[in-house]
PDB file of all heavy atoms in Angstrom:
ATOM      1  N   SER A 196     108.517  70.015 113.107  1.00  0.00           N
ATOM      2  CA  SER A 196     107.543  69.760 114.153  1.00  0.00           C
ATOM      3  C   SER A 196     106.379  70.832 114.119  1.00  0.00           C
ATOM      4  O   SER A 196     105.333  70.459 114.511  1.00  0.00           O
ATOM      5  CB  SER A 196     108.242  69.741 115.480  1.00  0.00           C
ATOM      6  OG  SER A 196     108.814  70.976 115.842  1.00  0.00           O
ATOM      7  N   ALA A 197     106.743  71.949 113.711  1.00  0.00           N
ATOM      8  CA  ALA A 197     105.769  73.042 113.787  1.00  0.00           C
ATOM      9  C   ALA A 197     104.499  72.729 112.872  1.00  0.00           C
ATOM     10  O   ALA A 197     103.339  72.696 113.334  1.00  0.00           O
ATOM     11  CB  ALA A 197     106.273  74.428 113.388  1.00  0.00           C
ATOM     12  N   THR A 198     104.756  72.470 111.650  1.00  0.00           N
ATOM     13  CA  THR A 198     103.668  72.107 110.717  1.00  0.00           C
ATOM     14  C   THR A 198     102.928  70.855 111.045  1.00  0.00           C
ATOM     15  O   THR A 198     101.836  70.666 110.973  1.00  0.00           O
ATOM     16  CB  THR A 198     104.017  72.139 109.242  1.00  0.00           C
ATOM     17  OG1 THR A 198     105.220  71.223 109.211  1.00  0.00           O
ATOM     18  CG2 THR A 198     104.536  73.480 108.771  1.00  0.00           C
ATOM     19  N   LYS A 199     103.786  69.864 111.544  1.00  0.00           N
ATOM     20  CA  LYS A 199     103.186  68.501 112.009  1.00  0.00           C
ATOM     21  C   LYS A 199     102.085  68.731 112.988  1.00  0.00           C
ATOM     22  O   LYS A 199     101.147  67.971 113.131  1.00  0.00           O
ATOM     23  CB  LYS A 199     104.292  67.688 112.413  1.00  0.00           C
ATOM     24  CG  LYS A 199     103.811  66.345 112.888  1.00  0.00           C
ATOM     25  CD  LYS A 199     105.039  65.439 113.323  1.00  0.00           C
ATOM     26  CE  LYS A 199     104.617  63.994 113.791  1.00  0.00           C
ATOM     27  NZ  LYS A 199     105.775  63.152 114.236  1.00  0.00           N
ATOM     28  N   HIS A 200     102.332  69.692 113.930  1.00  0.00           N
ATOM     29  CA  HIS A 200     101.441  69.887 115.142  1.00  0.00           C
ATOM     30  C   HIS A 200     100.668  71.218 114.886  1.00  0.00           C
ATOM     31  O   HIS A 200     100.312  71.872 116.024  1.00  0.00           O
ATOM     32  CB  HIS A 200     102.246  70.014 116.352  1.00  0.00           C
ATOM     33  CG  HIS A 200     102.979  68.767 116.575  1.00  0.00           C
ATOM     34  ND1 HIS A 200     102.508  67.355 116.510  1.00  0.00           N
ATOM     35  CD2 HIS A 200     104.334  68.416 116.726  1.00  0.00           C
ATOM     36  CE1 HIS A 200     103.413  66.556 116.696  1.00  0.00           C
ATOM     37  NE2 HIS A 200     104.583  67.133 116.852  1.00  0.00           N
ATOM     38  N   ALA A 201     100.329  71.564 113.795  1.00  0.00           N
ATOM     39  CA  ALA A 201      99.673  72.868 113.527  1.00  0.00           C
ATOM     40  C   ALA A 201      98.381  73.131 114.234  1.00  0.00           C
ATOM     41  O   ALA A 201      98.164  74.059 114.884  1.00  0.00           O
ATOM     42  CB  ALA A 201      99.485  73.116 111.984  1.00  0.00           C
ATOM     43  N   ALA A 202      97.592  71.985 114.264  1.00  0.00           N
ATOM     44  CA  ALA A 202      96.272  72.121 114.953  1.00  0.00           C
ATOM     45  C   ALA A 202      96.395  72.463 116.409  1.00  0.00           C
ATOM     46  O   ALA A 202      95.716  73.295 116.916  1.00  0.00           O
ATOM     47  CB  ALA A 202      95.501  70.748 114.832  1.00  0.00           C
ATOM     48  N   SER A 203      97.331  71.806 117.109  1.00  0.00           N
ATOM     49  CA  SER A 203      97.542  72.033 118.549  1.00  0.00           C
ATOM     50  C   SER A 203      98.129  73.449 118.758  1.00  0.00           C
ATOM     51  O   SER A 203      97.813  74.131 119.660  1.00  0.00           O
ATOM     52  CB  SER A 203      98.542  70.973 119.088  1.00  0.00           C
ATOM     53  OG  SER A 203      98.828  71.298 120.437  1.00  0.00           O
ATOM     54  N   MET A 204      99.060  73.794 117.927  1.00  0.00           N
ATOM     55  CA  MET A 204      99.742  75.053 118.090  1.00  0.00           C
ATOM     56  C   MET A 204      98.759  76.254 117.907  1.00  0.00           C
ATOM     57  O   MET A 204      98.867  77.345 118.538  1.00  0.00           O
ATOM     58  CB  MET A 204     100.986  75.284 117.198  1.00  0.00           C
ATOM     59  CG  MET A 204     102.051  74.124 117.487  1.00  0.00           C
ATOM     60  SD  MET A 204     102.566  74.065 119.191  1.00  0.00           S
ATOM     61  CE  MET A 204     103.269  75.649 119.517  1.00  0.00           C
ATOM     62  N   ARG A 205      97.859  76.180 116.985  1.00  0.00           N
ATOM     63  CA  ARG A 205      96.941  77.110 116.722  1.00  0.00           C
ATOM     64  C   ARG A 205      96.003  77.350 117.904  1.00  0.00           C
ATOM     65  O   ARG A 205      95.786  78.484 118.354  1.00  0.00           O
ATOM     66  CB  ARG A 205      95.961  76.737 115.460  1.00  0.00           C
ATOM     67  CG  ARG A 205      94.902  77.795 115.227  1.00  0.00           C
ATOM     68  CD  ARG A 205      93.944  77.311 114.183  1.00  0.00           C
ATOM     69  NE  ARG A 205      92.928  76.288 114.753  1.00  0.00           N
ATOM     70  CZ  ARG A 205      91.801  76.732 115.346  1.00  0.00           C
ATOM     71  NH1 ARG A 205      91.596  78.059 115.411  1.00  0.00           N
ATOM     72  NH2 ARG A 205      91.029  75.881 115.934  1.00  0.00           N
ATOM     73  N   LEU A 206      95.624  76.235 118.563  1.00  0.00           N
ATOM     74  CA  LEU A 206      94.772  76.382 119.756  1.00  0.00           C
ATOM     75  C   LEU A 206      95.465  77.056 120.923  1.00  0.00           C
ATOM     76  O   LEU A 206      95.076  77.841 121.705  1.00  0.00           O
ATOM     77  CB  LEU A 206      94.292  75.038 120.247  1.00  0.00           C
ATOM     78  CG  LEU A 206      93.441  74.326 119.266  1.00  0.00           C
ATOM     79  CD1 LEU A 206      93.015  72.876 119.748  1.00  0.00           C
ATOM     80  CD2 LEU A 206      92.047  75.113 119.139  1.00  0.00           C
ATOM     81  N   TYR A 207      96.901  76.657 121.028  1.00  0.00           N
ATOM     82  CA  TYR A 207      97.745  77.231 122.020  1.00  0.00           C
ATOM     83  C   TYR A 207      97.795  78.739 121.941  1.00  0.00           C
ATOM     84  O   TYR A 207      97.504  79.488 122.754  1.00  0.00           O
ATOM     85  CB  TYR A 207      99.077  76.630 122.032  1.00  0.00           C
ATOM     86  CG  TYR A 207     100.091  77.318 122.780  1.00  0.00           C
ATOM     87  CD1 TYR A 207      99.987  77.436 124.265  1.00  0.00           C
ATOM     88  CD2 TYR A 207     101.125  78.022 122.161  1.00  0.00           C
ATOM     89  CE1 TYR A 207     100.932  78.115 124.976  1.00  0.00           C
ATOM     90  CE2 TYR A 207     102.012  78.705 123.036  1.00  0.00           C
ATOM     91  CZ  TYR A 207     101.932  78.701 124.304  1.00  0.00           C
ATOM     92  OH  TYR A 207     102.891  79.535 125.180  1.00  0.00           O
ATOM     93  N   TYR A 208      98.165  79.237 120.657  1.00  0.00           N
ATOM     94  CA  TYR A 208      98.466  80.648 120.469  1.00  0.00           C
ATOM     95  C   TYR A 208      97.018  81.335 120.591  1.00  0.00           C
ATOM     96  O   TYR A 208      96.979  82.597 120.949  1.00  0.00           O
ATOM     97  CB  TYR A 208      98.982  80.962 119.165  1.00  0.00           C
ATOM     98  CG  TYR A 208     100.512  80.580 119.176  1.00  0.00           C
ATOM     99  CD1 TYR A 208     100.954  79.627 118.500  1.00  0.00           C
ATOM    100  CD2 TYR A 208     101.348  81.310 120.000  1.00  0.00           C
ATOM    101  CE1 TYR A 208     102.451  79.170 118.486  1.00  0.00           C
ATOM    102  CE2 TYR A 208     102.741  80.975 120.034  1.00  0.00           C
ATOM    103  CZ  TYR A 208     103.166  79.928 119.285  1.00  0.00           C
ATOM    104  OH  TYR A 208     104.614  79.658 119.372  1.00  0.00           O
ATOM    105  N   ARG A 209      95.956  80.685 120.234  1.00  0.00           N
ATOM    106  CA  ARG A 209      94.635  81.344 120.407  1.00  0.00           C
ATOM    107  C   ARG A 209      94.419  81.704 121.908  1.00  0.00           C
ATOM    108  O   ARG A 209      93.961  82.724 122.281  1.00  0.00           O
ATOM    109  CB  ARG A 209      93.549  80.422 119.906  1.00  0.00           C
ATOM    110  CG  ARG A 209      92.127  81.223 119.951  1.00  0.00           C
ATOM    111  CD  ARG A 209      91.038  80.142 119.501  1.00  0.00           C
ATOM    112  NE  ARG A 209      90.877  79.144 120.451  1.00  0.00           N
ATOM    113  CZ  ARG A 209      90.007  78.145 120.282  1.00  0.00           C
ATOM    114  NH1 ARG A 209      89.266  77.993 119.147  1.00  0.00           N
ATOM    115  NH2 ARG A 209      89.798  77.183 121.269  1.00  0.00           N
ATOM    116  N   GLU A 210      94.757  80.715 122.847  1.00  0.00           N
ATOM    117  CA  GLU A 210      94.565  80.858 124.268  1.00  0.00           C
ATOM    118  C   GLU A 210      95.402  81.951 124.738  1.00  0.00           C
ATOM    119  O   GLU A 210      95.062  82.691 125.682  1.00  0.00           O
ATOM    120  CB  GLU A 210      94.721  79.615 124.811  1.00  0.00           C
ATOM    121  CG  GLU A 210      93.730  78.565 124.699  1.00  0.00           C
ATOM    122  CD  GLU A 210      92.233  79.051 124.815  1.00  0.00           C
ATOM    123  OE1 GLU A 210      91.994  79.438 125.941  1.00  0.00           O
ATOM    124  OE2 GLU A 210      91.513  79.002 123.879  1.00  0.00           O
ATOM    125  N   VAL A 211      96.605  82.142 124.247  1.00  0.00           N
ATOM    126  CA  VAL A 211      97.546  83.144 124.608  1.00  0.00           C
ATOM    127  C   VAL A 211      96.894  84.500 124.409  1.00  0.00           C
ATOM    128  O   VAL A 211      96.886  85.419 125.208  1.00  0.00           O
ATOM    129  CB  VAL A 211      98.898  83.050 123.898  1.00  0.00           C
ATOM    130  CG1 VAL A 211      99.745  84.313 124.120  1.00  0.00           C
ATOM    131  CG2 VAL A 211      99.630  81.740 124.426  1.00  0.00           C
ATOM    132  N   LEU A 212      96.408  84.635 123.119  1.00  0.00           N
ATOM    133  CA  LEU A 212      95.878  86.007 122.784  1.00  0.00           C
ATOM    134  C   LEU A 212      94.544  86.285 123.435  1.00  0.00           C
ATOM    135  O   LEU A 212      94.182  87.358 123.840  1.00  0.00           O
ATOM    136  CB  LEU A 212      95.559  86.014 121.177  1.00  0.00           C
ATOM    137  CG  LEU A 212      96.841  85.918 120.369  1.00  0.00           C
ATOM    138  CD1 LEU A 212      96.428  85.856 118.920  1.00  0.00           C
ATOM    139  CD2 LEU A 212      97.848  87.000 120.618  1.00  0.00           C
ATOM    140  N   ARG A 213      93.742  85.166 123.836  1.00  0.00           N
ATOM    141  CA  ARG A 213      92.518  85.366 124.520  1.00  0.00           C
ATOM    142  C   ARG A 213      92.737  85.799 126.047  1.00  0.00           C
ATOM    143  O   ARG A 213      91.986  86.523 126.570  1.00  0.00           O
ATOM    144  CB  ARG A 213      91.638  84.156 124.470  1.00  0.00           C
ATOM    145  CG  ARG A 213      90.955  83.814 123.178  1.00  0.00           C
ATOM    146  CD  ARG A 213      90.204  82.567 123.262  1.00  0.00           C
ATOM    147  NE  ARG A 213      89.251  82.303 122.260  1.00  0.00           N
ATOM    148  CZ  ARG A 213      88.418  81.236 122.232  1.00  0.00           C
ATOM    149  NH1 ARG A 213      88.581  80.333 123.038  1.00  0.00           N
ATOM    150  NH2 ARG A 213      87.550  81.151 121.263  1.00  0.00           N
ATOM    151  N   ASN A 214      93.814  85.143 126.636  1.00  0.00           N
ATOM    152  CA  ASN A 214      93.876  85.274 128.087  1.00  0.00           C
ATOM    153  C   ASN A 214      95.073  85.999 128.646  1.00  0.00           C
ATOM    154  O   ASN A 214      95.025  86.371 129.842  1.00  0.00           O
ATOM    155  CB  ASN A 214      93.843  83.830 128.667  1.00  0.00           C
ATOM    156  CG  ASN A 214      92.578  83.041 128.368  1.00  0.00           C
ATOM    157  OD1 ASN A 214      91.540  83.569 128.707  1.00  0.00           O
ATOM    158  ND2 ASN A 214      92.724  82.023 127.640  1.00  0.00           N
ATOM    159  N   ASP A 215      96.129  86.188 127.943  1.00  0.00           N
ATOM    160  CA  ASP A 215      97.307  86.742 128.478  1.00  0.00           C
ATOM    161  C   ASP A 215      97.730  88.234 128.026  1.00  0.00           C
ATOM    162  O   ASP A 215      98.825  88.606 128.446  1.00  0.00           O
ATOM    163  CB  ASP A 215      98.547  85.866 128.001  1.00  0.00           C
ATOM    164  CG  ASP A 215      98.370  84.473 128.559  1.00  0.00           C
ATOM    165  OD1 ASP A 215      97.676  84.255 129.478  1.00  0.00           O
ATOM    166  OD2 ASP A 215      99.141  83.588 128.139  1.00  0.00           O
ATOM    167  N   LEU A 216      96.814  88.839 127.375  1.00  0.00           N
ATOM    168  CA  LEU A 216      97.160  90.241 126.878  1.00  0.00           C
ATOM    169  C   LEU A 216      97.420  91.274 127.915  1.00  0.00           C
ATOM    170  O   LEU A 216      97.933  92.366 127.646  1.00  0.00           O
ATOM    171  CB  LEU A 216      96.123  90.781 125.864  1.00  0.00           C
ATOM    172  CG  LEU A 216      96.178  90.113 124.552  1.00  0.00           C
ATOM    173  CD1 LEU A 216      95.095  90.721 123.586  1.00  0.00           C
ATOM    174  CD2 LEU A 216      97.603  90.285 123.800  1.00  0.00           C
ATOM    175  N   LYS A 217      96.984  91.054 129.296  1.00  0.00           N
ATOM    176  CA  LYS A 217      97.349  91.876 130.253  1.00  0.00           C
ATOM    177  C   LYS A 217      98.792  91.990 130.497  1.00  0.00           C
ATOM    178  O   LYS A 217      99.284  93.036 131.198  1.00  0.00           O
ATOM    179  CB  LYS A 217      96.741  91.427 131.648  1.00  0.00           C
ATOM    180  CG  LYS A 217      97.190  90.183 132.125  1.00  0.00           C
ATOM    181  CD  LYS A 217      96.487  89.726 133.336  1.00  0.00           C
ATOM    182  CE  LYS A 217      97.014  88.420 133.947  1.00  0.00           C
ATOM    183  NZ  LYS A 217      96.364  88.029 135.189  1.00  0.00           N
ATOM    184  N   TRP A 218      99.598  91.165 129.966  1.00  0.00           N
ATOM    185  CA  TRP A 218     101.174  91.067 130.133  1.00  0.00           C
ATOM    186  C   TRP A 218     101.685  91.778 128.911  1.00  0.00           C
ATOM    187  O   TRP A 218     102.916  91.930 128.795  1.00  0.00           O
ATOM    188  CB  TRP A 218     101.615  89.678 130.242  1.00  0.00           C
ATOM    189  CG  TRP A 218     101.063  89.038 131.447  1.00  0.00           C
ATOM    190  CD1 TRP A 218     100.164  88.118 131.563  1.00  0.00           C
ATOM    191  CD2 TRP A 218     101.558  89.260 132.812  1.00  0.00           C
ATOM    192  NE1 TRP A 218     100.004  87.653 132.806  1.00  0.00           N
ATOM    193  CE2 TRP A 218     100.825  88.297 133.459  1.00  0.00           C
ATOM    194  CE3 TRP A 218     102.620  89.986 133.326  1.00  0.00           C
ATOM    195  CZ2 TRP A 218     101.033  88.234 134.976  1.00  0.00           C
ATOM    196  CZ3 TRP A 218     102.737  90.011 134.731  1.00  0.00           C
ATOM    197  CH2 TRP A 218     102.066  89.041 135.560  1.00  0.00           C
ATOM    198  N   PHE A 219     100.923  92.425 127.909  1.00  0.00           N
ATOM    199  CA  PHE A 219     101.439  92.890 126.674  1.00  0.00           C
ATOM    200  C   PHE A 219     102.545  93.926 126.887  1.00  0.00           C
ATOM    201  O   PHE A 219     103.457  93.881 126.164  1.00  0.00           O
ATOM    202  CB  PHE A 219     100.305  93.467 125.879  1.00  0.00           C
ATOM    203  CG  PHE A 219     100.721  94.084 124.457  1.00  0.00           C
ATOM    204  CD1 PHE A 219     100.856  93.202 123.419  1.00  0.00           C
ATOM    205  CD2 PHE A 219     100.955  95.426 124.462  1.00  0.00           C
ATOM    206  CE1 PHE A 219     101.373  93.822 122.250  1.00  0.00           C
ATOM    207  CE2 PHE A 219     101.402  95.950 123.223  1.00  0.00           C
ATOM    208  CZ  PHE A 219     101.501  95.151 122.045  1.00  0.00           C
ATOM    209  N   ARG A 220     102.323  94.771 127.908  1.00  0.00           N
ATOM    210  CA  ARG A 220     103.349  95.879 128.046  1.00  0.00           C
ATOM    211  C   ARG A 220     104.685  95.349 128.463  1.00  0.00           C
ATOM    212  O   ARG A 220     105.691  96.059 128.208  1.00  0.00           O
ATOM    213  CB  ARG A 220     102.849  96.901 129.085  1.00  0.00           C
ATOM    214  CG  ARG A 220     102.739  96.324 130.513  1.00  0.00           C
ATOM    215  CD  ARG A 220     101.910  97.380 131.386  1.00  0.00           C
ATOM    216  NE  ARG A 220     101.728  96.896 132.738  1.00  0.00           N
ATOM    217  CZ  ARG A 220     102.500  97.052 133.701  1.00  0.00           C
ATOM    218  NH1 ARG A 220     103.590  97.927 133.624  1.00  0.00           N
ATOM    219  NH2 ARG A 220     102.265  96.624 135.024  1.00  0.00           N
ATOM    220  N   PHE A 221     104.841  94.170 129.031  1.00  0.00           N
ATOM    221  CA  PHE A 221     106.116  93.554 129.431  1.00  0.00           C
ATOM    222  C   PHE A 221     106.787  92.914 128.263  1.00  0.00           C
ATOM    223  O   PHE A 221     108.117  92.834 128.292  1.00  0.00           O
ATOM    224  CB  PHE A 221     105.871  92.551 130.496  1.00  0.00           C
ATOM    225  CG  PHE A 221     105.424  93.249 131.850  1.00  0.00           C
ATOM    226  CD1 PHE A 221     104.036  93.110 132.242  1.00  0.00           C
ATOM    227  CD2 PHE A 221     106.317  93.868 132.702  1.00  0.00           C
ATOM    228  CE1 PHE A 221     103.652  93.658 133.332  1.00  0.00           C
ATOM    229  CE2 PHE A 221     105.874  94.414 133.882  1.00  0.00           C
ATOM    230  CZ  PHE A 221     104.536  94.339 134.262  1.00  0.00           C
ATOM    231  N   ALA A 222     106.019  92.418 127.225  1.00  0.00           N
ATOM    232  CA  ALA A 222     106.634  91.665 126.177  1.00  0.00           C
ATOM    233  C   ALA A 222     105.821  91.777 124.891  1.00  0.00           C
ATOM    234  O   ALA A 222     105.284  90.861 124.370  1.00  0.00           O
ATOM    235  CB  ALA A 222     106.800  90.241 126.599  1.00  0.00           C
ATOM    236  N   PRO A 223     105.799  92.925 124.417  1.00  0.00           N
ATOM    237  CA  PRO A 223     105.023  93.236 123.051  1.00  0.00           C
ATOM    238  C   PRO A 223     105.415  92.370 121.862  1.00  0.00           C
ATOM    239  O   PRO A 223     104.629  91.874 121.238  1.00  0.00           O
ATOM    240  CB  PRO A 223     105.281  94.731 122.734  1.00  0.00           C
ATOM    241  CG  PRO A 223     106.369  95.054 123.631  1.00  0.00           C
ATOM    242  CD  PRO A 223     106.452  94.263 124.834  1.00  0.00           C
ATOM    243  N   ILE A 224     106.744  92.216 121.733  1.00  0.00           N
ATOM    244  CA  ILE A 224     107.287  91.353 120.674  1.00  0.00           C
ATOM    245  C   ILE A 224     106.799  89.900 120.872  1.00  0.00           C
ATOM    246  O   ILE A 224     106.491  89.244 119.755  1.00  0.00           O
ATOM    247  CB  ILE A 224     108.729  91.425 120.512  1.00  0.00           C
ATOM    248  CG1 ILE A 224     109.275  92.962 120.361  1.00  0.00           C
ATOM    249  CG2 ILE A 224     109.354  90.543 119.347  1.00  0.00           C
ATOM    250  CD1 ILE A 224     108.657  93.599 119.237  1.00  0.00           C
ATOM    251  N   ASN A 225     106.844  89.469 121.960  1.00  0.00           N
ATOM    252  CA  ASN A 225     106.249  88.011 122.166  1.00  0.00           C
ATOM    253  C   ASN A 225     104.864  87.859 121.735  1.00  0.00           C
ATOM    254  O   ASN A 225     104.553  86.871 121.120  1.00  0.00           O
ATOM    255  CB  ASN A 225     106.432  87.636 123.646  1.00  0.00           C
ATOM    256  CG  ASN A 225     107.836  87.449 124.099  1.00  0.00           C
ATOM    257  OD1 ASN A 225     108.651  88.296 123.885  1.00  0.00           O
ATOM    258  ND2 ASN A 225     108.054  86.309 124.720  1.00  0.00           N
ATOM    259  N   PHE A 226     104.071  88.964 122.055  1.00  0.00           N
ATOM    260  CA  PHE A 226     102.602  88.726 121.720  1.00  0.00           C
ATOM    261  C   PHE A 226     102.370  88.913 120.129  1.00  0.00           C
ATOM    262  O   PHE A 226     101.554  88.324 119.555  1.00  0.00           O
ATOM    263  CB  PHE A 226     101.802  89.752 122.487  1.00  0.00           C
ATOM    264  CG  PHE A 226     101.565  89.275 123.975  1.00  0.00           C
ATOM    265  CD1 PHE A 226     102.364  89.790 124.948  1.00  0.00           C
ATOM    266  CD2 PHE A 226     100.618  88.328 124.158  1.00  0.00           C
ATOM    267  CE1 PHE A 226     102.086  89.351 126.296  1.00  0.00           C
ATOM    268  CE2 PHE A 226     100.402  87.870 125.442  1.00  0.00           C
ATOM    269  CZ  PHE A 226     101.119  88.399 126.417  1.00  0.00           C
ATOM    270  N   LEU A 227     103.303  89.830 119.562  1.00  0.00           N
ATOM    271  CA  LEU A 227     103.131  89.980 118.116  1.00  0.00           C
ATOM    272  C   LEU A 227     103.523  88.631 117.464  1.00  0.00           C
ATOM    273  O   LEU A 227     102.864  88.192 116.503  1.00  0.00           O
ATOM    274  CB  LEU A 227     104.096  91.079 117.643  1.00  0.00           C
ATOM    275  CG  LEU A 227     103.609  92.468 117.925  1.00  0.00           C
ATOM    276  CD1 LEU A 227     104.722  93.487 117.614  1.00  0.00           C
ATOM    277  CD2 LEU A 227     102.436  92.777 116.846  1.00  0.00           C
ATOM    278  N   ARG A 228     104.525  87.921 118.043  1.00  0.00           N
ATOM    279  CA  ARG A 228     104.886  86.520 117.450  1.00  0.00           C
ATOM    280  C   ARG A 228     103.783  85.584 117.600  1.00  0.00           C
ATOM    281  O   ARG A 228     103.509  84.933 116.798  1.00  0.00           O
ATOM    282  CB  ARG A 228     106.158  86.102 118.140  1.00  0.00           C
ATOM    283  CG  ARG A 228     107.459  86.847 117.773  1.00  0.00           C
ATOM    284  CD  ARG A 228     108.590  86.298 118.424  1.00  0.00           C
ATOM    285  NE  ARG A 228     109.814  87.071 118.116  1.00  0.00           N
ATOM    286  CZ  ARG A 228     110.778  87.247 118.916  1.00  0.00           C
ATOM    287  NH1 ARG A 228     110.587  86.913 120.268  1.00  0.00           N
ATOM    288  NH2 ARG A 228     111.932  87.885 118.643  1.00  0.00           N
ATOM    289  N   SER A 229     103.147  85.709 118.775  1.00  0.00           N
ATOM    290  CA  SER A 229     101.938  84.783 119.098  1.00  0.00           C
ATOM    291  C   SER A 229     100.853  85.057 118.075  1.00  0.00           C
ATOM    292  O   SER A 229     100.250  84.118 117.526  1.00  0.00           O
ATOM    293  CB  SER A 229     101.529  84.992 120.501  1.00  0.00           C
ATOM    294  OG  SER A 229     102.470  84.544 121.502  1.00  0.00           O
ATOM    295  N   ALA A 230     100.560  86.294 117.868  1.00  0.00           N
ATOM    296  CA  ALA A 230      99.522  86.596 116.882  1.00  0.00           C
ATOM    297  C   ALA A 230      99.814  86.110 115.451  1.00  0.00           C
ATOM    298  O   ALA A 230      99.012  85.564 114.780  1.00  0.00           O
ATOM    299  CB  ALA A 230      99.264  88.181 116.796  1.00  0.00           C
ATOM    300  N   ALA A 231     101.151  86.268 115.021  1.00  0.00           N
ATOM    301  CA  ALA A 231     101.471  85.788 113.685  1.00  0.00           C
ATOM    302  C   ALA A 231     101.436  84.285 113.667  1.00  0.00           C
ATOM    303  O   ALA A 231     101.040  83.780 112.610  1.00  0.00           O
ATOM    304  CB  ALA A 231     102.996  86.289 113.475  1.00  0.00           C
ATOM    305  N   ASN A 232     101.906  83.540 114.668  1.00  0.00           N
ATOM    306  CA  ASN A 232     101.769  82.148 114.639  1.00  0.00           C
ATOM    307  C   ASN A 232     100.333  81.649 114.702  1.00  0.00           C
ATOM    308  O   ASN A 232     100.018  80.673 114.201  1.00  0.00           O
ATOM    309  CB  ASN A 232     102.666  81.530 115.922  1.00  0.00           C
ATOM    310  CG  ASN A 232     104.035  81.536 115.696  1.00  0.00           C
ATOM    311  OD1 ASN A 232     104.480  81.009 114.545  1.00  0.00           O
ATOM    312  ND2 ASN A 232     104.953  81.924 116.549  1.00  0.00           N
ATOM    313  N   TYR A 233      99.423  82.344 115.428  1.00  0.00           N
ATOM    314  CA  TYR A 233      98.058  81.947 115.545  1.00  0.00           C
ATOM    315  C   TYR A 233      97.543  82.084 113.970  1.00  0.00           C
ATOM    316  O   TYR A 233      96.786  81.131 113.531  1.00  0.00           O
ATOM    317  CB  TYR A 233      97.243  82.986 116.332  1.00  0.00           C
ATOM    318  CG  TYR A 233      95.725  82.766 116.155  1.00  0.00           C
ATOM    319  CD1 TYR A 233      95.110  81.644 116.564  1.00  0.00           C
ATOM    320  CD2 TYR A 233      95.040  83.729 115.562  1.00  0.00           C
ATOM    321  CE1 TYR A 233      93.692  81.538 116.413  1.00  0.00           C
ATOM    322  CE2 TYR A 233      93.596  83.687 115.290  1.00  0.00           C
ATOM    323  CZ  TYR A 233      92.896  82.474 115.781  1.00  0.00           C
ATOM    324  OH  TYR A 233      91.623  82.292 115.596  1.00  0.00           O
ATOM    325  N   CYS A 234      97.897  83.104 113.373  1.00  0.00           N
ATOM    326  CA  CYS A 234      97.526  83.322 111.906  1.00  0.00           C
ATOM    327  C   CYS A 234      98.066  82.082 111.043  1.00  0.00           C
ATOM    328  O   CYS A 234      97.423  81.495 110.287  1.00  0.00           O
ATOM    329  CB  CYS A 234      97.859  84.573 111.319  1.00  0.00           C
ATOM    330  SG  CYS A 234      97.744  84.907 109.577  1.00  0.00           S
ATOM    331  N   ARG A 235      99.418  81.962 111.165  1.00  0.00           N
ATOM    332  CA  ARG A 235     100.153  80.930 110.573  1.00  0.00           C
ATOM    333  C   ARG A 235      99.662  79.558 110.487  1.00  0.00           C
ATOM    334  O   ARG A 235      99.216  78.915 109.526  1.00  0.00           O
ATOM    335  CB  ARG A 235     101.600  80.901 110.970  1.00  0.00           C
ATOM    336  CG  ARG A 235     102.324  79.765 110.584  1.00  0.00           C
ATOM    337  CD  ARG A 235     103.607  79.658 111.431  1.00  0.00           C
ATOM    338  NE  ARG A 235     104.552  78.578 110.947  1.00  0.00           N
ATOM    339  CZ  ARG A 235     105.749  78.268 111.584  1.00  0.00           C
ATOM    340  NH1 ARG A 235     106.089  79.042 112.669  1.00  0.00           N
ATOM    341  NH2 ARG A 235     106.475  77.357 111.141  1.00  0.00           N
TER     342      ARG A 235
END
């Protein structure tokens, strides 16, 4: 399902990185995964 919906998931992870980084100190690994998935 991930590759099938790549366009939508890219937009989602872009919004996470644009708007949610104030929470980085609480969940750094989550944000690293989000960055990797945005790239992917």
Side-chain angles (χ1 to χ4, degrees):
S196 62
T198 52
K199 181 180 178 182
H200 304 305
S203 172
M204 299 309 296
R205 182 188 76 85
L206 294 175
Y207 166 69
Y208 286 113
R209 185 185 70 181
E210 293 308 301
V211 169
L212 296 175
R213 281 179 168 182
N214 297 302
D215 293 348
L216 284 180
K217 67 180 181 180
W218 299 101
F219 179 84
R220 65 190 178 97
F221 293 102
I224 300 302
N225 288 54
F226 283 101
L227 283 167
R228 289 181 183 139
S229 293
N232 277 315
Y233 169 72
C234 172
R235 166 196 186 180

